[in-house]
Amino acid sequence: MEPVFTGVGVALVTLFDDQRALDADATAGLAARLVELGADAIVVAGTTGEADALDDDERLRLFTAVRAAVGDTPVVGGTGAASTHQAARLTARAGDTGVDAVIARTPRGLDDPTGYYREIAAAAGSTPVLAYHFPAVSPPGIPVGMLPSLPVTGVKDSSGDPTRLLATVDSYAGPVWTGNPALIHMAGALGCAGGILALANVAPELCVAAYAGDADALRKITPTHLACETDFPRGVKQLVAERFGTSDVVRMG
């Protein structure tokens, strides 16, 4: 399977105004700035983007705005939801926004996600679907042994577990992206497609360098990585605000 993109994708924050209303234009502007700084793709309305606090129309507005702002840079829209019906419904509408692919985190408590991804893939039509394993947020996630049978064209692994990443690369022939900056150097060494990182909102240049094998860059991002994980996603937004002057308002929490 050809990857939707290779390199470092930004797990983009979603920007809100002081009344917590969606600011799609500001979010798209941030995406464009991150592309200028070296980001290889933009992933919109994922976990870092507070997807659980967005309705379908807001997500679609974000997909459209970011797509228009970043030129030919790949855009991946987050369409995961708490139910298969919700995820499939949003996925069916996402293709009209021009996204290059969709990514869907598994719902909490779903032991076998096969049917979930089958319905999403059917709703997506010709739009590629990426699976998303994040057991800390949506347990239990996706068993490694199920990955080869899922109707997806890649997987994001946000377990943060190096052994799980090794097992995924060993058993799954499709593209793999890590969701953890601490493993981005390892992902590059293993030949993974890249990473989809919240940290890339703040330090895209260092994330790109670390994926390319720069150990000094990996060491340099460590303090920022730890700060991003503090009071997530507020910690990420505060760091983005410090660097780019954006809003640090959150809906989650």
Side-chain angles (χ1 to χ4, degrees):
M1 287 178 270
E2 288 296 318
V4 175
F5 73 92
T6 58
V8 173
V10 181
L12 189 68
V13 295
T14 300
L15 300 179
F16 305 104
D17 66 21
D18 290 343
Q19 286 71 49
R20 294 187 172 84
L22 174 65
D23 193 337
D25 290 341
T27 306
L30 174 62
R33 180 69 177 124
L34 295 170
V35 168
E36 291 174 356
L37 292 171
D40 297 296
I42 303 294
V43 180
V44 186
T47 305
T48 305
E50 301 177 73
D52 292 342
L54 301 170
D55 63 34
D56 286 4
D57 288 339
E58 287 177 320
R59 290 208 222 182
L60 294 166
R61 284 170 55 198
L62 284 169
F63 299 168
T64 300
V66 172
R67 170 74 283 159
V70 299
D72 294 332
T73 300
V75 176
V76 180
T79 61
S83 74
T84 302
H85 170 74
Q86 290 171 298
R89 180 185 63 196
L90 177 57
T91 299
R93 300 175 64 192
D96 293 335
T97 67
V99 294
D100 297 279
V102 298
I103 185 169
R105 193 182 72 208
T106 52
R108 293 177 63 88
L110 185 64
D111 293 323
D112 183 349
T114 304
Y116 177 74
Y117 285 113
R118 282 179 179 166
E119 290 202 30
I120 290 173
S126 61
T127 304
V129 176
L130 307 183
Y132 183 5
H133 173 70
F134 198 178
V137 172
S138 294
I142 308 169
V144 170
M146 288 185 181
L147 287 171
S149 65
L150 296 181
V152 298
T153 57
V155 59
K156 176 185 178 183
D157 187 330
S158 288
S159 67
D161 181 348
T163 301
R164 161 78 189 207
L165 185 61
L166 281 170
T168 299
V169 172
D170 181 62
S171 63
Y172 178 63
V176 177
W177 293 268
T178 181
N180 193 302
L183 299 181
I184 191 64
H185 191 279
M186 177 181 174
L190 290 173
C192 293
I196 300 173
L197 308 177
L199 182 61
N201 285 281
V202 183
E205 309 96 326
L206 290 175
C207 291
V208 169
Y211 172 65
D214 186 336
D216 286 337
L218 184 62
R219 284 190 288 268
K220 287 177 182 177
I221 64 175
T222 299
T224 309
H225 167 44
L226 296 175
C228 281
E229 293 200 328
T230 301
D231 193 17
F232 182 86
R234 190 182 305 275
V236 180
K237 280 196 164 176
Q238 288 174 342
L239 290 171
V240 175
E242 289 172 10
R243 178 166 186 187
F244 297 109
T246 54
S247 169
D248 64 358
V249 174
V250 299
R251 278 186 181 174
M252 299 294 290

